[in-house]
Amino acid sequence: MISVTPESSRFARYGDFFVAVFIVFTVMMMIIPLPASLLSFLLIINITLSLLILLVALFTQEVLDFSVFPALLLVMTLFRLCLNISTTRLILLHAYAGEVIQKFGGFVIGDNPVVGFIIFLILVVIQFIVITKGAERVSEVAARFTLDAMPGKQMSIDADLSAGLITEQEAKERRAKIQQEADFYGAMDGASKFVRGDAIAAIVIVVINILGGFLIGLVQKGMDFQQALQTYTVLTVGDGLVTQIPALLISTSAGIIVTRAAADSTFGIDLTKQLFSYPRAMAIAGGLLLFLGICGLPFVPILIISGALFGMSYLLNRSLVNARIEEEERVRARELEEAKKPEHVFSLVQVDPLEVELGYNLLPLVDEKQEGDLLDRIVLIRRQIALEFGFIVPPIRLRDNMQLSPNDYVIKVKGVEVGKGNLVLNHCLVLGPDVQEKLEGIKTTDPTFGLPALWIPVSRKEEAELTGYTVVDTISVLATHLTEIIKKYAHEILSRQDVQNLLDHVKKTNSAVVNELYPELLNLGEIQKVLSNLLREEVAIRDLVTILEALSDAARATKVPELLTEYVRQSIGRQIIAPYLVDHKLFVLTIDPELEQVIKNGIQQTEQGSFLALEPQVTQKLLSRLVEWTGRVMNAGHQPVVLCSPVVRFHLKRLTEKMIPNLVVVSYNEVLPDINVESLGMVSINEN
């Protein structure tokens, strides 16, 4: 934007007065005869103002910085036409219009009036056909497109305001700027007609001056034919040139103003920056010129110009290289300086919820140019988890780790390694019984489930599939492992911010249940603990409305997370039981009533919550019996499910989750009446 100094501000204070006087004086010039000396002074002022307007147009960054230009164009056109009238009056009356016109005409045309007249016509043609016509068309198109774009710009401002990206004051300023742009281009569309009319008027005035002056010289002044033609042609052409050169400057200013795109710098800076930023183009241009010189064109000027182009290309290329090196050094210095700042240390201690580190050889998995679609697979994984568990997985950071073996990867949860594996690119992982004995390949272990596996080349994939084995591509191995890790550690990944986001989402459609529960009955941490308990047993929290309603009912009686979790499980019992039904039957293991009573007696209540305290011998016998029964059930082709009372369910699951992670523990209250339950056996520590 144009800066306003105190001096310019004081000058602008009297601007209204000066402009009013100038315009009134301009109009009076058409009526009052002016002496030749004053007229010469005014002609010089006209040239000076036109030159000043051109320079301001060149140094303006935005069109709105010179928004007064359309009105100024009208004033300058009127001033120039009034000067034409005054000079015409002096030429026809006295055959003299001041020293400026006399000198100007004599300097340009010399002793040949025809040459001067032709030069004048060329100037008029350039202004009228080339500059004025082009500027008029550009103004028309710019005005049309500016008006058409106004609704979209207004909507964009409203969207930014609604999103909180801008303030109300900034929105007002942007709306005002858009309106000013529309007004400016609309005014320029009309003001360009002034320039065209000025060019036409200049031609008419020249014809009148030559013909009228020639007749007056012959009839009234008593001049001979040669003297009259020489005198009035010199004066007319001089007058035309003195007025048309400022007109050409004004037309050029108008063309520059309307053809400039939005920029952050002036026309000169943009021109030099964009035109001379390609050393290769200058070198090619110099080579083509040199070729033309060899073909027969004047060799010396071509050699000079092509040499200059080659020299500029070399210097510019070297400066660009040096600038690139300096920029890299500045970036490194800036990074080093940022690293020294105390606040930078905080970024070092931030821990990503999920992180995958890859060895060097596995980097092509994330390179789209090498057909690596790991990033796309991660997107699908997050979508799958969201659909299956109702849990929004936070962004997963991928990074290389040169300390790993080239084919290894590591999965971390909150900075701690929870899984790792080994991948072989351009190979497939084969899974199946006795696969290592029946097929040839690289022996390995499935990183997800720990089963014996084999790496074989992709070319042998069809062979392995025909044999009946399960064949998995490289990326799918990593994706499957990552998916299982997320399921296993979802309860650790779920943060309070995630819970807040879930509540905000539910509030959009079910605000009543959220407002009832949070924060009146339960705080964010208590809700998070309940949801984490559910995810820990791979229970989906997708039906969050039902979960929140159950919490609202139970929270009035207790705020213990374990008890709240059991209440929630009862409300979503059908969802919990559904995956384990076989032909609408639930095959379960029951707990001996005496054993249940022992477990119940071992539950200790404290201020921090409850925990299970059993004698070591009892714990060992219980776990061994459960391991034994789990094996029997799995051999029979069923999912091991233990059915027990609600009081002991939570603690029994916590006791068994490390040794028997695939054991499902449900309570009687979670089994709805319409579900058929069939017992496969009873677990007792008194068995022989």
Side-chain angles (χ1 to χ4, degrees):
M1 298 293 291
I2 297 175
S3 60
V4 179
T5 62
E7 292 76 9
S8 63
S9 179
R10 285 193 293 270
F11 182 77
R13 192 179 305 168
Y14 304 99
D16 291 343
F17 175 76
F18 291 136
V19 171
V21 172
F22 179 78
I23 294 176
V24 172
F25 177 75
T26 299
V27 175
M28 297 300 295
M29 286 168 54
M30 292 187 290
I31 305 171
I32 302 175
L34 300 179
S37 58
L38 178 59
L39 191 59
S40 298
F41 181 75
L42 294 176
L43 289 172
I44 294 176
I45 289 179
N46 184 33
I47 296 174
T48 304
L49 289 177
S50 302
L51 184 61
L52 179 61
I53 292 171
L54 176 63
L55 293 175
V56 171
L58 291 173
F59 290 123
T60 297
Q61 294 186 10
E62 299 181 5
V63 293
L64 294 183
D65 292 340
F66 203 11
S67 59
V68 75
F69 183 79
L72 182 61
L73 185 63
L74 171 61
V75 173
M76 292 302 300
T77 302
L78 178 64
F79 181 57
R80 191 164 54 252
L81 290 175
C82 291
L83 287 177
N84 279 132
I85 294 173
S86 297
T87 55
T88 299
R89 183 187 293 111
L90 291 178
I91 291 173
L92 296 180
L93 288 176
H94 308 292
Y96 179 73
E99 194 161 345
V100 172
I101 292 177
Q102 193 76 28
K103 295 291 185 181
F104 215 95
F107 174 75
V108 174
I109 68 176
D111 297 329
N112 197 333
V114 179
V115 174
F117 188 72
I118 292 173
I119 292 175
F120 171 78
L121 288 180
I122 292 174
L123 287 176
V124 173
V125 169
I126 292 173
Q127 179 188 350
F128 182 70
I129 297 179
V130 180
I131 299 177
T132 304
K133 198 69 176 177
E136 181 182 359
R137 179 58 179 166
V138 172
S139 299
E140 180 183 353
V141 174
R144 185 182 305 168
F145 278 98
T146 302
L147 291 174
D148 292 343
M150 278 189 67
K153 292 181 178 179
Q154 295 285 3
M155 292 176 63
S156 176
I157 295 173
D158 294 338
D160 290 346
L161 181 61
S162 301
L165 300 178
I166 58 175
T167 62
E168 184 68 32
Q169 183 62 30
E170 291 174 337
K172 291 181 180 179
E173 294 175 355
R174 288 173 61 176
R175 291 192 186 100
K177 185 176 181 180
I178 293 173
Q179 185 63 46
Q180 291 173 1
E181 286 182 352
D183 295 341
F184 175 82
Y185 285 109
M188 281 299 302
D189 185 27
S192 60
K193 306 295 191 299
F194 301 147
V195 182
R196 184 179 66 176
D198 181 40
I200 297 173
I203 298 176
V204 174
I205 291 173
V206 167
V207 173
I208 292 174
N209 283 346
I210 291 179
L211 295 179
F214 182 69
L215 292 175
I216 291 174
L218 289 178
V219 177
Q220 296 184 1
K221 304 290 184 183
M223 300 179 181
D224 57 24
F225 181 85
Q226 183 67 29
Q227 184 182 3
L229 182 62
Q230 176 72 22
T231 300
Y232 287 99
T233 302
V234 169
L235 292 174
T236 301
V237 173
D239 178 34
L241 292 174
V242 168
T243 55
Q244 281 308 301
I245 288 178
L248 184 63
L249 295 177
I250 296 294
S251 301
T252 305
S253 303
I256 292 174
I257 287 290
V258 299
T259 54
R260 285 213 60 198
D264 297 328
S265 56
T266 62
F267 175 74
I269 294 176
D270 286 341
L271 180 64
T272 54
K273 185 186 297 183
Q274 298 176 22
L275 187 60
F276 299 105
S277 296
Y278 303 95
R280 187 179 300 176
M282 287 188 284
I284 294 173
L288 292 175
L289 277 179
L290 194 61
F291 176 75
L292 294 176
I294 296 174
C295 292
L297 292 181
F299 189 74
V300 176
I302 286 181
L303 181 63
I304 295 174
I305 297 174
S306 63
L309 288 173
F310 284 129
M312 291 174 63
S313 175
Y314 172 75
L315 294 175
L316 182 60
N317 185 65
R318 190 172 66 177
S319 66
L320 290 176
V321 172
N322 293 335
R324 193 180 301 112
I325 295 174
E326 292 176 359
E327 180 63 25
E328 292 175 355
E329 292 178 352
R330 282 196 298 268
V331 171
R332 286 195 294 267
R334 194 183 306 116
E335 291 175 351
L336 182 61
E337 190 66 27
E338 288 291 331
K340 295 179 180 179
K341 294 181 178 180
E343 58 269 18
H344 187 76
V345 180
F346 290 102
S347 63
L348 300 177
V349 299
Q350 291 181 351
V351 179
D352 297 309
L354 277 170
E355 184 180 352
V356 180
E357 295 182 350
L358 303 173
Y360 178 78
N361 287 349
L362 303 183
L363 295 182
L365 296 177
V366 297
D367 189 359
E368 295 181 356
K369 297 179 180 179
Q370 303 185 49
E371 300 183 355
D373 61 347
L374 181 58
L375 295 176
D376 295 334
R377 297 293 292 271
I378 288 176
V379 173
L380 295 177
I381 290 172
R382 297 182 68 198
R383 180 178 177 85
Q384 175 189 344
I385 296 297
L387 290 173
E388 188 174 347
F389 289 94
F391 167 55
I392 308 300
V393 180
I396 302 173
R397 184 178 296 274
L398 300 176
R399 65 171 83 238
D400 60 317
N401 188 347
M402 298 298 125
Q403 297 180 352
L404 295 175
S405 298
N407 292 331
D408 288 353
Y409 69 88
V410 170
I411 302 175
K412 293 183 177 180
V413 173
K414 296 184 177 181
V416 180
E417 179 182 323
V418 295
K420 63 180 180 179
N422 182 275
L423 304 177
V424 182
L425 297 185
N426 301 319
H427 283 65
C428 296
L429 188 69
V430 184
L431 301 170
D434 303 325
V435 64
Q436 295 183 349
E437 288 77 20
K438 294 184 179 180
L439 293 179
E440 294 183 359
I442 304 173
K443 294 182 179 180
T444 185
T445 301
D446 174 38
T448 306
F449 305 105
L451 301 175
L454 204 68
W455 287 108
I456 63 172
V458 177
S459 58
R460 295 175 53 197
K461 178 181 180 181
E462 187 175 354
E463 173 191 347
E465 289 176 340
L466 293 175
T467 312
Y469 293 110
T470 302
V471 183
V472 186
D473 62 86
T474 307
I475 290 185
S476 296
V477 174
L478 176 56
T480 302
H481 195 186
L482 180 60
T483 302
E484 293 301 318
I485 289 291
I486 294 173
K487 292 180 181 179
K488 184 177 180 181
Y489 295 96
H491 63 285
E492 295 185 16
I493 300 173
L494 183 70
S495 65
R496 297 191 180 185
Q497 184 60 53
D498 296 331
V499 176
Q500 182 67 66
N501 296 337
L502 291 174
L503 292 177
D504 293 340
H505 178 70
V506 174
K507 196 173 182 178
K508 294 178 181 178
T509 54
N510 294 274
S511 59
V513 64
V514 177
N515 294 333
E516 180 185 4
L517 176 64
Y518 172 76
E520 296 296 330
L521 298 177
L522 295 177
N523 58 38
L524 203 60
E526 292 167 336
I527 299 174
Q528 180 207 11
K529 290 178 181 178
V530 174
L531 297 181
S532 296
N533 288 337
L534 296 173
L535 291 173
R536 187 169 183 170
E537 299 185 41
E538 298 189 7
V539 175
I541 59 173
R542 188 177 180 183
D543 189 7
L544 197 56
V545 174
T546 302
I547 295 174
L548 297 179
E549 289 176 349
L551 286 175
S552 297
D553 296 336
R556 293 179 172 86
T558 181
K559 288 183 171 50
V560 179
E562 292 81 5
L563 297 179
L564 292 174
T565 303
E566 296 306 309
Y567 279 116
V568 171
R569 288 180 62 94
Q570 294 173 23
S571 64
I572 57 174
R574 191 179 300 277
Q575 170 191 321
I576 295 174
I577 300 299
Y580 313 116
L581 295 178
V582 179
D583 296 331
H584 305 289
K585 291 184 179 180
L586 180 64
F587 296 91
V588 300
L589 294 171
T590 58
I591 302 295
D592 183 25
E594 293 183 4
L595 179 58
E596 275 202 10
Q597 188 61 45
V598 172
I599 298 173
K600 190 182 298 183
N601 295 335
I603 299 174
Q604 303 293 324
Q605 300 289 340
T606 65
E607 294 181 356
Q608 288 76 31
S610 60
F611 65 94
L612 184 61
L614 297 177
E615 296 180 0
Q617 299 86 349
V618 176
T619 303
Q620 185 177 359
K621 287 182 180 182
L622 175 59
L623 290 175
S624 64
R625 292 290 185 269
L626 285 173
V627 170
E628 180 183 345
W629 274 106
T630 299
R632 294 179 188 178
V633 172
M634 293 181 68
N635 291 333
H638 297 289
Q639 167 68 41
V641 178
V642 173
L643 184 64
C644 60
S645 64
V647 179
V648 304
R649 194 214 66 84
F650 180 84
H651 298 283
L652 183 60
K653 178 60 183 175
R654 290 292 181 272
L655 180 65
T656 60
E657 63 181 356
K658 292 184 178 180
M659 183 174 287
I660 321 171
N662 60 336
L663 179 64
V664 178
V665 183
V666 298
S667 70
Y668 297 115
N669 293 343
E670 298 169 19
V671 182
L672 299 181
D674 59 343
I675 296 177
N676 296 321
V677 179
E678 185 172 331
S679 178
L680 299 176
M682 180 182 292
V683 180
S684 175
I685 60 175
N686 296 321
E687 296 178 359
N688 295 324

